[in-house]
């Protein structure tokens, strides 16, 4: 097409419309760094206050309703942390948990996203696969532990399986939901532009469902940690859950708290990682809007 | 290439099944020449969008014959471009990537399709916005991208379903002029569904005025106004005469059900 020949249609009113739109689209957004610093400060003060309350309760052995006499104070925990960080034991516990979560979560993601896309898109797949999955879904990952031990030769594999179960259903359900919510008009538009079924899947269904899939991954990461820690407490050797439970049986009370903090930090960190990585794949959500 | 003959013979379209089935089109006859600009004008809810859906291949017809260039319509295809009322741009693609889509589906190499998409974006006046995502564009700009995305495939037929009805009056006038210019350049057949009398008369060679649902063509209005047309035409007596003719037909159609409700039928 010859652009020059029809450029006469772009008369003056059009230019002004475009320019005002351009101004809206390109205007810088006011920075919010002060508000951000304020909210961080409030959060820090809040955490510090709770720690101070806890310290006081332990030191003065609070005993009304809660019994704090055996609960280590934050200062004791910090001392224990210093000792632990010198020995490689704690790090190896963390690493073996991380490895299990990474494996179980990755396998769950691959299978659940694939299954979810197919179930969401094809009625036959939904009719065939959903009933058995719906029966399995309400069973908490913890309830799978005995069967997992019987199913797998090594306790290592059974724990990876439990993490897998923990992540699988949130990811699956969110993927199905994402696919079912796709605007049919987008699929129609792609077909009338020449897309075949495979193109529709790759170019429309997957990106349209991506935000929902990511929400599922974020939830799934949380539940897989939750499931893993329980599995490690029951059947584990090594791992942060095992470490925490062992600390209780050996009466190393500061280590219990340390284990809990480790679980919290790792869980939070891996959820954050999921969100960060996901954002790389969804640049359109990052783009600031004119409207 | 420059064909685009649309033929509908006693086409019926049902939605739903059994008791709740709705008959949207009943015995629809429509014959549109190559390169014609035809508007379909009708009261809201009369089934005019169903015509677009059927020709585009989204909606299956229940009876009758429907063909484009002699080939029966069974599925959507790139030779029949569609622009909907609300933009249907892919939110995860930039303006340029959206326009490229049709070429990508045809296996055109990245460099060539990028070049051609740029060219057509320039034609609709959006070359500065090629890297913007749809939600960063105004309603008018979104419809420009939509138009560019459909036209990159060089469709023989362009189907437009109330494409400008959510735009403000000034933007709508600009878009109408743009569509006319593109049509005069590319000579494709255009089927333009609208409920706006001005728009239908201003743009078209012929206007099909539809009856209430199930829709049939009630009357054809021949618009023998000279081309190329600009918005100056909107205030001429010839335009006013055709507009009144169309309004009378349309309002007569809309008023009828109210009268039927009020006046008890004599036995």
């Amino acid at each position: 097409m010859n652009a020059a020949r029809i450029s006469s249609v772009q008369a003056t009113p059009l230019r002004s419309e475009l320019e005002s739109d351009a101004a809206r689209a390109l205007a810088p957004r006011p920075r919010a760094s002060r508000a951000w610093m304020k909210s961080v400060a409030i959060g820090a003060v809040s955490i510090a206050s709770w720690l101070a309350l806890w310290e006081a309760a332990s030191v003065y052995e609070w005993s009304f309703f809660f019994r704090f006499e055996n609960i280590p104070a934050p200062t004791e925990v910090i001392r224990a942390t210093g000792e632990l960080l010198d020995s490689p034991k704690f790090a190896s516990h963390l690493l073996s948990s991380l490895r299990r979560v990474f494996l179980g979560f990755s396998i769950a993601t691959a299978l659940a996203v694939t299954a979810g896309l197919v179930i969401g898109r094809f009625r036959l797949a939904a009719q065939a696969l959903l009933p058995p999955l719906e029966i399995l879904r309400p069973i908490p990952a913890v309830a799978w532990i005995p069967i997992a031990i019987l199913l797998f030769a090594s306790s290592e594999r059974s724990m990876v399986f439990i993490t897998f179960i923990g992540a699988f259903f949130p990811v699956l359900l969110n993927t199905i939901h994402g696919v079912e919510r796709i605007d049919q008009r987008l699929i129609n538009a792609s077909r009338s532009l020449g897309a075949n079924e495979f193109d529709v899947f790759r170019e429309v269904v997957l990106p349209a469902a991506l935000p929902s899939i990511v929400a599922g991954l974020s939830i799934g990461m949380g539940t897989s940690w939750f499931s893993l820690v329980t599995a490690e407490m029951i059947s584990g050797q090594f791992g942060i859950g095992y470490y925490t439970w062992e600390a209780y049986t050996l009466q190393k009370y500061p280590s219990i708290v340390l284990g809990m903090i480790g679980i919290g930090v790792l869980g939070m960190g891996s959820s954050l990682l999921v969100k960060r990585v996901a954002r790389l794949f969804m640049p359109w959500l990052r783009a600031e809007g004119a409207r | 290439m420059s064909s685009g003959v649309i033929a509908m013979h006693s086409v019926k379209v049902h939605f739903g099944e059994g008791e709740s089935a709705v008959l949207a089109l009943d015995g629809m006859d429509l014959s549109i020449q190559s390169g014609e600009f035809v508007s379909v004008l009708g009261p809201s809810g009369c089934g005019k969008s169903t015509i677009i859906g059927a020709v585009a291949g989204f909606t299956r017809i229940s009876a009758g014959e429907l063909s484009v260039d002699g080939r029966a319509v069974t599925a959507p295809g790139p030779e029949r471009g569609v622009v909907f009322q609300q933009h249907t741009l892919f939110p995860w693609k930039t303006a340029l990537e959206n326009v490229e889509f049709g070429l990508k589906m045809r296996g055109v190499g990245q460099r060539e399709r990028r070049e051609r998409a740029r060219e057509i974006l320039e034609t609709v006046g959006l070359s500065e916005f090629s890297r913007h995502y749809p939600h960063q564009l105004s309603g008018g700009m979104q419809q420009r991208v939509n138009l560019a995305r459909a036209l990159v495939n060089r469709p023989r037929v362009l189907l437009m379903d109330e494409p400008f009805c959510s735009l403000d009056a000034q933007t709508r006038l600009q878009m109408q002029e743009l569509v006319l210019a593109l049509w005069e350049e590319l000579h494709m057949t255009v089927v333009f569904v609208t409920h706006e009398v001005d728009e239908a008369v201003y743009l078209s060679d012929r206007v099909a005025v539809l009856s209430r649902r199930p829709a049939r063509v009630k009357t054809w209005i021949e618009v023998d106004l000279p081309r190329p047309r600009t918005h100056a035409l909107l205030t001429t007596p010839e335009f006013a005469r055709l507009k009144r003719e169309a309004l009378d037909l349309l309002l007569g159609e809309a008023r009828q059900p109210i009268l039927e409700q009020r006046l008890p039928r004599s036995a």
Side-chain angles (χ1 to χ4, degrees), chain B residues 208-227:
Chain B
V209 182
L210 298 193
S211 65
R212 278 179 296 121
R213 200 166 63 197
R216 284 171 304 97
V217 178
K218 194 176 166 192
T219 324
W220 282 99
I221 299 175
E222 300 282 337
V223 185
D224 47 2
L225 300 171
R227 289 188 191 272

Side-chain angles (χ1 to χ4, degrees), chain B residues 152-169:
Chain B
V152 86
N153 281 324
R154 296 298 197 91
R156 298 192 296 257
V157 175
L158 182 62
L159 304 164
M160 305 183 83
D161 188 1
E162 305 196 34
F164 309 139
C165 77
S166 56
L167 304 179
D168 62 76

